[in-house]
Amino acid sequence: MSTRTILITGANGEIGHGLIDYLATHTRARVVALDLHPLDESLYRMCYRTVIGDITEMSVLESLSTGFDFDTIFHLAALLSTRSERQPPLAHRVNVNGTLNLLEIAVLQARLQGREIKFIFPSSIAVYGLPDLATKAQVGKIKEHEWCQPRTMYGINKLYTEQLGGYYARYYRQLDADERPEHVDFRSIRFPGIISAHTLPTGGTSDFAPEMLHNAAQGKAYPCFVREDTCIPFMVMPDAVRAITLLEAAPRDKLSRQVYNVGAFNPSAEVIRASTLKAFPRAEISFVPDLKRQNILDSWPLDVDDSAAQQDWNWHPEYDLERAFSEYLIPAITERYHQ
Ligand code: SER
């Protein structure tokens, strides 16, 4: 196995934790981790180099690019949907301008190294926007090209940057006289809500599920900010990491598209509560909907059609709801809080 060098932005975030752990355990990759904040201690020893810096500052990225030859860039840094609604200009700076900067670095790296650089980009179900609950119920599973009318800053940022990645991969500087050898191999996944046993998200709108579970495990009452019947797709972190590493490893000629849905299960908030209560029967979970955040969730799809990912790179989730709780979430969360 050759030693690859991988840049991970937003390394200290939730997917960053899962991905760095996976790469350290299963590969010999040298991980260069970039984050705005110092990396958690548990991640330090798994990384080849850690850098504190802001992706909106091109000088930070240029100096990283001078120091390393990257094979792959996992660009995970982003402001999630709730936080983005509170600070739209900041969301645009980080989610859009930051991504543009990273794509420029990918081109620069491709030019310097004279080969293709992989650019792996997590997108989200937030790119979809259903107009009302009746339509949401009626359309059910959504395909990648359907209902791309996001109503959040985050969803709009992600939809645009998916397109930007496609442009960098296929049409970048298309008017230049000479064929440009530098190629960015852009691949993106639209993730559902993600639930990890080891970390909690910050600033997302699907956060109600992980918050419910982590609060229950700590014996804390949780007033859930959505209605019981709220339903969006979710997956657990091990499947999210599997999905993103499978997509990265897939042969280019097997990929029929640049952006893929991935799904696993789609429980209502009431079903998540019931599964949580099975493990923590004394948990106090009530439903106190925040109507504004609720509107965002109601505009996200009930489920996603991920048949393209199944066909092109053999995607199948390992965890359905039952297995997610019994074999991953409950044992790992119990260990985390009850040691
Ligand atoms: N989990 C994200 C959020 O809630 C959606 O992709 O913002």
Side-chain angles (χ1 to χ4, degrees):
M1 216 186 325
S2 67
T3 308
R4 297 178 306 144
T5 304
I6 293 179
L7 172 62
I8 301 181
T9 71
N12 205 37
E14 279 214 288
I15 301 177
H17 274 78
L19 181 62
I20 290 172
D21 186 48
Y22 173 87
L23 292 172
T25 316
H26 298 279
T27 74
R28 290 172 40 201
R30 294 192 298 198
V31 170
V32 178
L34 173 65
D35 202 283
L36 203 49
H37 306 289
L39 231 54
D40 287 353
E41 209 143 309
S42 60
L43 296 180
Y44 258 108
R45 64 184 167 80
M46 301 183 192
C47 296
Y48 180 68
R49 194 66 53 83
T50 62
V51 179
I52 299 174
D54 186 339
I55 57 163
T56 65
E57 284 172 29
M58 201 57 187
S59 57
V60 170
L61 302 179
E62 278 165 355
S63 89
L64 262 177
S65 181
T66 310
F68 301 96
D69 283 347
F70 296 116
D71 296 84
T72 298
I73 297 172
F74 284 93
H75 173 37
L76 312 180
L79 253 62
L80 293 182
S81 56
T82 290
R83 176 113 195 262
S84 293
E85 278 324 292
R86 303 212 159 110
Q87 293 170 287
L90 178 64
H92 194 276
R93 265 204 308 284
V94 174
N95 296 347
V96 176
N97 298 359
T99 302
L100 182 76
N101 289 348
L102 261 309
L103 286 164
E104 279 292 321
I105 291 301
V107 169
L108 182 66
Q109 283 271 313
R111 188 174 308 154
L112 291 172
Q113 297 184 51
R115 64 189 176 116
E116 214 163 60
I117 304 298
K118 281 186 191 163
F119 194 101
I120 313 297
F121 184 62
S123 184
S124 162
I125 49 163
V127 302
Y128 298 114
L130 281 321
D132 49 55
L133 281 173
T135 313
K136 171 167 167 156
Q138 194 205 328
V139 302
K141 280 190 179 195
I142 244 175
K143 279 193 191 299
E144 283 88 348
H145 65 276
E146 295 173 324
W147 298 99
C148 288
Q149 283 133 9
R151 14 171 125 156
T152 61
M153 186 64 182
Y154 174 73
I156 291 165
N157 293 165
K158 285 289 183 187
L159 189 59
Y160 170 65
T161 41
E162 285 177 0
Q163 299 276 322
L164 204 55
Y167 166 75
Y168 269 74
R170 295 161 73 182
Y171 305 116
Y172 182 68
R173 300 187 64 140
Q174 58 194 301
L175 298 182
D176 284 5
D178 43 323
E179 276 288 303
R180 307 184 75 87
E182 63 274 9
H183 286 297
V184 176
D185 180 358
F186 178 84
R187 306 174 178 200
S188 178
I189 285 190
R190 288 185 185 157
F191 277 121
I194 299 177
I195 314 176
S196 169
H198 304 287
T199 51
L200 270 161
T202 41
T205 313
S206 60
D207 297 7
F208 67 90
E211 283 175 2
M212 190 186 286
L213 191 53
H214 282 256
N215 277 291
Q218 295 171 83
K220 294 185 190 161
Y222 182 62
C224 181
F225 60 84
V226 304
R227 285 189 322 265
E228 295 90 311
D229 65 334
T230 305
C231 197
I232 59 162
F234 279 100
M235 72 174 42
V236 285
M237 187 57 83
D239 268 338
V241 169
R242 258 187 71 246
I244 206 165
T245 50
L246 273 176
L247 178 61
E248 196 246 358
R252 176 76 250 172
D253 61 359
K254 294 272 186 255
L255 303 183
S256 60
R257 43 186 317 119
Q258 247 142 7
V259 179
Y260 288 90
N261 280 341
V262 287
F265 47 84
N266 67 330
S268 66
E270 176 52 41
V271 167
I272 299 172
R273 181 170 85 135
S275 307
T276 305
L277 283 173
K278 231 159 86 180
F280 306 107
R282 290 207 299 271
E284 286 175 51
I285 302 164
S286 54
F287 290 99
V288 188
D290 169 336
L291 297 182
K292 292 181 173 160
R293 290 178 96 185
Q294 182 73 55
N295 281 339
I296 293 177
L297 289 156
D298 287 346
S299 77
W300 290 354
L302 206 59
D303 204 354
V304 288
D305 179 333
D306 60 6
S307 49
Q310 292 177 31
Q311 266 159 32
D312 291 1
W313 40 279
N314 202 22
W315 161 248
H316 296 284
E318 284 186 345
Y319 293 88
D320 60 12
L321 179 73
E322 161 60 28
R323 185 162 180 233
F325 271 81
S326 63
E327 292 184 31
Y328 167 64
L329 292 170
I330 300 304
I333 287 184
T334 306
E335 190 186 325
R336 175 180 168 158
Y337 295 114
H338 299 273
Q339 268 178 344

